[in-house]
Amino acid sequence: MNIHPIKESIKANIQQSEDLVIKELKAEEKYLEVIYINTICDETQLQDFLIKPFFEIGENSHFLSYLLSHPKVKLFDSKKTVQEELISGKSVVFFENHIFLLDSKLDKNNTVTETSVEVTILGPQSGFSESLPTNVGLIRQRYPEKTLVIESTNIGSISKTSVNIVYDSKKVDQDVLNKVKEFLSSIEIEMFQSGEQLLDFTKKSKRTLFPTIMVTERPDRTAVNIAAGKVILLIAGSPFAMLMPTVLKDQMSAMADIYQTYWIGKFLLIVRYIGLITTITLPALYVALTSYNPEVFRAQLALSVAGSRHAVPYPSFVEVIIMLLMMELLMEASIRLPKAIGSTATTVGGLILGQAATEAGLVSNIMIIIVSLGAISNFVIPISTFSFAVRVSKYFILLLSIFYGLVGVILGVFMLLAYMVSLDSFGKPYLTFREERV
Amino acid sequence: MNQNVKRMMVVLVFLLLGFFLTGCGFKDIDKRLFVVSVAIDPVKENPKRVLVSLKFAVPIVEKISNESFIISQEGDTIAEAVRLMKSRVDKEIDFSHAKLIVYHEDVLKDEIEPNLYYWFIRRRDFQEMSWVAIGRPTALEVLKAKPKSERLPSNSLFLALGRDGTETAYIIPEYLFDFKKRFGEKGLDPLLPIIETKKDLFDINKVALLDKKKLKLELTPKETMLLNLFLTESPKTALKIADGENSFIIDTRAVKTKYKLITENQKDPHIKVDIHVNGRVEEAQFNVRNKDLKQYEKTANKDLEKKVHAVLKKIQEANVDPIGFGLRYRGRHMEKDDWKTWQRLYPELKFIINVNTNISDTGLVE
């Protein structure tokens, strides 16, 4: 085979850039040429698997058989694939009349990180890394079953992010699997960086409020969910796995539920649901009760609420909106800020601003309690994508309560419920509470 | 996509239109004046007019609670008086926490004007679980009283009547909805507790019995307590038992009262009352012995039978029926003229009382 035209065409097709390396190796009668991109290529592997043997093995035929039998070396397929592989980090080796691909991809970010989003007191503490093979390895370790299937695909027309579909072929629901594959093939996106981007594609309108895919950073949760028959997506470069299908009760469950004793787990679950209801309805209830239906309060409470609102110049809903906005700004700020001064922001914002706002008569004492209770309840929700959705949906009910009072709250909760009922996650109704076998 | 935008617009328009429908329901809590109790007094010069007094609670600001003020206004009707009052205060009058309606006796002495209680039922913001009572010397005086232990305006009365605070068999609370029902129901007559005020103290231990029109009878505290045995499930009380010269007191833990109308035998119609008393000796003027408990029980039975009989007789003679014997009769009889038969029967009914006391111990270790 004449490799020269191919070599030339590859060189011509690849844009000249700083990190493209074309190296010729010569030793006695042996001659070898290698092309790679040094920024995404592991040069120590190149050194170990290619350069050292090249100089150590004397004869041409011996070196050829070494290359042919090396597990990391693949024979040339076609021109197009060669170029793609080169861009994704492999080295192209021209030796004699053969073209080889050496898998020398640099596996960056393969350190396993500690969980930071879904923290538990008990149970495993490590999360996924940002490297796909490492993550697959983590799952394999936790799920040593021969029925575990790992399929590979790419998403993103530019990013070509490699995605692994992981499931247990024995336990998976075939309908769900087909739907997931159909869903993945239907995605049109240029840059695919992290699984959270998929959430918007779950609806035709591409506008989603409640996530129907779970995003988790915990390998233990992923393994448990594989056993429950779910389909897992692992995305290269993202320390989060996507679990499908996911319904409300999954979003409300924490891994700690399994690691606690039965009654403690149930108690914590109930507390979490109370938190969910509180955070959604509390600001709206405040407006409805103080401005429309104060008879619902006990006399004591009504009088002290009235007393604490005495100096407040604005109607209750302006008060609530001011405080909620402040809270949202605080939360956003504390994410953006570097960790070292993050706590300062919360102190300044939460304590000093809140205290000053009441003393200035801008908001009432009770309001501070309502807003902070609502915010705390929001943090109780274990899955952060869902907790964001809840954070937004409380404004909808608040809006209705401003105009219709208590009836508005009921209407809002009803509409929210109706919306959730209308959702489904890959064929599974969103509000189902049926337990799966684990 | 276009279709979607259109639909969104339609929804938005309806939502916006809806915002105009809200009316003037929105009124912040600090723009309302909460009425805690209402007093209705007669006007001496003109018996047709009423004097309405409202007690307003002042919101709690910085540890200052139990602040209140009273505004009184004469008017032909309650509604008129309240409307006139609105021009005398700075905020919207809110009745949603008005939990006590006090009437002056004289309003009930001759015929009570139904509007004097129907007005409260008709009002949307008036809760029907408010209490109704008679105030002495006047209804206004009851509103003015301010016991030392009170932390919120009128709250001590709410606690006493609601049994959240003190629990006693001498208070028979009456709710507005029940009061209304008793006016309409044949065979069940209204009753009202009497609140007497002396300086800043209350005394609620009597009950006034009404027929469908006016006040008929007032019971003494002891009679009130015995009547309460019929009205409340196992009231906590102390029963004084006379034993010849001496007497002892049973602290009741459970009292169960059942009654049966036996009217089939036309010659001898009677009401059979069974009272089970469970308790222990709390106080005695003589040396109590454990082995004599059976005998004390017997004495108690006899004494209680006599006392209960006297109360029932007194109520019967006034021809009022607060316990609802008539309602029970109507409930168990299907004849066309059952009500007429009952009206004929009731004045001459006999009461057979059967008390079964069970004294568990003397309260002491011998």
Side-chain angles (χ1 to χ4, degrees):
Chain A
M1 186 169 68
N2 192 1
I3 59 166
H4 253 282
I6 299 170
K7 202 196 294 184
E8 289 313 311
S9 86
I10 290 171
K11 280 183 189 172
N13 268 317
I14 302 277
Q15 299 277 325
Q16 270 305 322
S17 52
E18 188 71 61
D19 52 358
L20 186 74
V21 179
I22 304 171
K23 195 77 205 164
E24 292 172 9
L25 306 180
K26 280 180 206 151
E28 293 163 19
E29 77 272 24
K30 289 207 297 293
Y31 174 77
L32 180 147
E33 208 170 328
V34 59
I35 307 177
Y36 64 91
I37 299 172
N38 65 4
T39 43
I40 48 173
C41 193
D42 190 353
E43 281 178 313
T44 52
Q45 283 194 36
L46 213 64
Q47 172 81 16
D48 287 350
F49 301 144
L50 194 72
I51 300 171
K52 266 191 199 164
F54 179 76
F55 290 103
E56 280 165 4
I57 300 169
E59 293 205 9
N60 247 350
S61 59
H62 281 185
F63 186 65
L64 185 64
S65 57
Y66 164 78
L67 282 180
L68 284 169
S69 54
H70 195 281
K72 283 215 163 195
V73 179
K74 216 168 65 180
L75 251 172
F76 162 79
D77 289 341
S78 75
K79 208 159 69 185
K80 196 163 179 291
T81 47
V82 168
Q83 281 175 25
E84 273 177 20
E85 303 279 14
L86 184 61
I87 293 167
S88 70
K90 291 187 181 171
S91 318
V92 186
V93 180
F94 300 95
F95 183 68
E96 290 188 330
N97 278 333
H98 305 281
I99 302 177
F100 295 101
L101 295 173
L102 170 65
D103 189 358
S104 58
K105 259 189 209 170
L106 187 62
D107 195 10
K108 275 184 185 161
N109 301 327
N110 60 351
T111 42
V112 171
T113 51
E114 209 165 283
T115 51
S116 56
V117 185
E118 292 165 65
V119 186
T120 55
I121 299 171
L122 305 170
Q125 299 293 327
S126 61
F128 281 121
S129 74
E130 293 194 351
S131 137
L132 186 57
T134 314
N135 291 349
V136 174
L138 283 173
I139 293 179
R140 275 245 185 250
Q141 253 175 36
R142 286 187 189 275
Y143 202 82
E145 271 290 304
K146 55 180 183 292
T147 45
L148 187 72
V149 179
I150 296 163
E151 288 175 24
S152 179
T153 171
N154 285 314
I155 301 180
S157 56
I158 293 179
S159 66
K160 293 187 199 67
T161 315
S162 59
V163 172
N164 280 3
I165 309 170
V166 183
Y167 56 87
D168 186 330
S169 61
K170 219 163 55 186
K171 296 195 163 179
V172 74
D173 184 344
Q174 211 57 45
D175 283 347
V176 171
L177 186 63
N178 290 339
K179 274 189 180 142
V180 168
K181 284 183 178 166
E182 203 179 294
F183 167 68
L184 290 180
S185 63
S186 74
I187 291 168
E188 284 170 23
I189 190 169
E190 285 190 335
M191 298 300 297
F192 184 62
Q193 302 291 346
S194 181
E196 293 89 317
Q197 285 172 285
L198 292 180
L199 295 177
D200 267 341
F201 288 92
T202 50
K203 274 188 83 178
K204 260 190 202 147
S205 63
K206 301 206 173 140
R207 291 190 181 88
T208 324
L209 178 59
F210 289 106
T212 48
I213 301 176
M214 190 196 282
V215 181
T216 180
E217 59 167 353
R218 299 189 64 92
D220 53 343
R221 187 192 276 270
T222 311
V224 166
N225 277 289
I226 293 174
K230 292 199 174 164
V231 181
I232 315 294
L233 287 191
L234 289 172
I235 294 106
S238 166
F240 292 98
M242 318 288 289
L243 317 183
M244 293 174 273
T246 300
V247 295
L248 180 80
K249 82 173 163 55
D250 301 324
Q251 316 264 21
M252 294 300 290
S253 70
M255 278 322 278
D257 294 350
I258 301 178
Y259 304 136
Q260 300 280 13
T261 55
Y262 179 83
W263 288 114
I264 298 170
K266 285 278 172 253
F267 168 74
L268 291 176
L269 197 66
I270 291 165
V271 167
R272 240 172 276 141
Y273 276 98
I274 293 171
L276 175 68
I277 294 163
T278 324
T279 187
I280 287 183
T281 56
L282 205 59
L285 276 179
Y286 175 76
V287 172
L289 293 186
T290 52
S291 299
Y292 285 93
N293 304 84
E295 63 265 23
V296 179
F297 288 135
R298 298 211 70 165
Q300 288 95 316
L301 190 56
L303 290 178
S304 60
V305 171
S308 80
R309 272 194 52 79
H310 237 66
V312 181
Y314 295 112
S316 59
F317 65 90
V318 176
E319 190 190 0
V320 173
I321 289 171
I322 289 176
M323 275 317 286
L324 284 181
L325 207 66
M326 210 162 100
M327 203 69 215
E328 299 295 339
L329 291 175
L330 247 165
M331 282 198 226
E332 273 303 296
S334 55
I335 297 171
R336 303 276 169 274
L337 279 173
K339 257 182 197 156
I341 53 169
S343 56
T344 327
T346 31
T347 322
V348 172
L351 291 173
I352 302 175
L353 262 182
Q355 183 70 22
T358 37
E359 268 174 23
L362 204 60
V363 291
S364 61
N365 289 324
I366 307 274
M367 189 64 241
I368 301 278
I369 300 173
I370 302 271
V371 167
S372 33
L373 187 59
I376 291 167
S377 314
N378 199 104
F379 295 137
V380 164
I381 299 165
I383 299 296
S384 69
T385 46
F386 184 63
S387 130
F388 278 109
V390 168
R391 209 169 116 187
V392 173
S393 54
K394 71 170 175 248
Y395 287 96
F396 170 67
I397 297 177
L398 176 65
L399 186 77
L400 283 170
S401 83
I402 290 171
F403 292 101
Y404 305 106
L406 214 49
V407 181
V409 178
I410 294 162
L411 191 73
V413 171
F414 177 74
M415 279 161 81
L416 205 65
L417 268 179
Y419 174 66
M420 284 202 218
V421 166
S422 79
L423 291 177
D424 74 290
S425 176
F426 300 93
K428 240 181 133 189
Y430 195 61
L431 281 188
T432 182
F433 281 91
R434 211 167 54 104
E435 291 289 331
E436 285 118 355
R437 67 232 137 74
V438 176
Chain B
M1 194 63 196
N2 214 0
Q3 199 70 25
N4 263 345
V5 172
K6 243 185 196 170
R7 204 182 300 158
M8 288 267 276
M9 290 296 276
V10 170
V11 170
L12 217 74
V13 165
F14 269 96
L15 214 68
L16 282 174
L17 282 177
F19 292 160
F20 293 108
L21 297 174
T22 56
C24 35
F26 190 95
K27 176 109 6 190
D28 271 320
I29 197 165
D30 49 324
K31 309 277 185 301
R32 300 179 194 232
L33 263 183
F34 288 104
V35 178
V36 283
S37 40
V38 183
I40 312 274
D41 283 299
V43 176
K44 269 185 195 146
E45 301 82 52
N46 188 347
K48 286 247 163 120
R49 283 167 75 82
V50 284
L51 178 73
V52 180
S53 314
L54 303 182
K55 183 171 181 175
F56 296 101
V58 176
I60 305 164
V61 183
E62 311 244 315
K63 287 172 195 162
I64 303 164
S65 63
N66 202 13
E67 288 284 305
S68 63
F69 61 95
I70 297 171
I71 292 182
S72 299
Q73 175 72 50
E74 261 181 47
D76 288 336
T77 59
I78 304 177
E80 189 200 318
V82 168
R83 291 304 181 287
L84 285 171
M85 250 183 259
K86 276 195 179 188
S87 61
R88 294 169 59 188
V89 292
D90 56 341
K91 291 170 190 149
E92 178 72 11
I93 296 177
D94 191 306
F95 284 103
S96 57
H97 284 289
K99 286 212 275 193
L100 178 64
I101 303 157
V102 191
Y103 292 103
H104 191 280
E105 265 176 283
D106 292 347
V107 177
L108 309 160
K109 274 258 160 75
D110 318 311
E111 213 161 303
I112 181 173
E113 167 77 27
N115 269 332
L116 288 186
Y117 55 89
Y118 264 108
W119 185 80
F120 299 107
I121 290 156
R122 286 206 176 103
R123 286 285 298 201
R124 179 194 71 91
D125 53 353
F126 228 98
Q127 304 198 30
E128 288 193 26
M129 30 76 71
S130 322
W131 290 285
V132 216
I134 289 176
R136 240 182 225 165
T138 64
L140 183 55
E141 286 303 314
V142 172
L143 259 58
K144 278 184 184 158
K146 223 179 196 182
K148 279 258 153 45
S149 63
E150 198 173 66
R151 284 285 161 268
L152 285 168
S154 284
N155 200 43
S156 54
L157 277 173
F158 298 165
L159 287 176
L161 289 171
R163 296 205 172 111
D164 283 337
T166 173
E167 277 182 64
T168 161
Y170 289 94
I171 299 177
I172 301 181
E174 176 67 346
Y175 289 108
L176 182 61
F177 68 84
D178 192 53
F179 189 58
K180 183 194 88 177
K181 180 183 99 182
R182 283 167 180 269
F183 265 106
E185 194 72 75
K186 283 181 204 161
L188 184 66
D189 287 339
L191 50 84
L192 287 173
I194 298 172
I195 305 172
E196 288 179 60
T197 8
K198 278 170 217 139
K199 285 198 171 165
D200 272 341
L201 289 173
F202 293 114
D203 212 347
I204 322 171
N205 56 14
K206 298 190 194 98
V207 71
L209 304 180
L210 293 81
D211 65 359
K212 300 292 182 215
K213 280 175 183 162
K214 59 185 177 193
L215 203 109
K216 287 284 257 204
L217 177 69
E218 189 188 316
L219 295 184
T220 64
K222 276 179 192 162
E223 289 165 342
T224 303
M225 189 261 284
L226 288 171
L227 173 64
N228 208 0
L229 299 183
F230 288 86
L231 297 174
T232 319
E233 288 267 316
S234 78
K236 274 187 200 161
T237 186
L239 298 168
K240 190 181 173 194
I241 309 295
D243 183 10
E245 299 260 300
N246 296 325
S247 67
F248 62 96
I249 285 168
I250 303 174
D251 166 40
T252 66
R253 279 181 301 179
V255 181
K256 260 190 188 168
T257 311
K258 280 193 229 162
Y259 60 87
K260 222 176 186 180
L261 311 183
I262 299 164
T263 52
E264 307 322 315
N265 184 352
Q266 288 293 330
K267 269 184 220 154
D268 181 30
H270 62 271
I271 297 179
K272 195 166 168 289
V273 180
D274 276 306
I275 303 178
H276 285 270
V277 180
N278 227 320
R280 52 159 66 109
V281 176
E282 186 177 300
E283 195 185 339
Q285 290 177 332
F286 51 89
N287 217 355
V288 198
R289 270 186 254 274
N290 262 341
K291 64 175 188 245
D292 293 336
L293 281 182
K294 280 273 172 286
Q295 208 186 319
Y296 304 145
E297 283 172 4
K298 253 185 212 165
T299 326
N301 289 349
K302 246 192 214 160
D303 193 48
L304 279 176
E305 274 163 21
K306 211 169 71 193
K307 282 174 179 163
V308 171
H309 191 264
V311 175
L312 290 177
K313 251 320 191 226
K314 192 172 174 184
I315 294 170
Q316 184 191 32
E317 272 159 23
N319 201 16
V320 286
D321 189 2
I323 298 168
F325 293 129
L327 190 64
R328 168 79 65 94
Y329 182 85
R330 284 177 59 222
R332 309 265 159 108
H333 290 79
M334 305 296 272
E335 301 107 56
K336 248 188 183 172
D337 51 352
D338 53 354
W339 177 234
K340 273 187 187 156
T341 324
W342 173 253
Q343 276 175 312
R344 187 170 47 75
L345 268 174
Y346 185 51
E348 48 202 61
L349 271 178
K350 272 184 199 142
F351 294 101
I352 297 172
I353 321 280
N354 180 26
V355 179
N356 187 2
T357 315
N358 181 15
I359 300 173
S360 58
D361 57 86
T362 59
L364 295 172
V365 180
E366 255 178 53

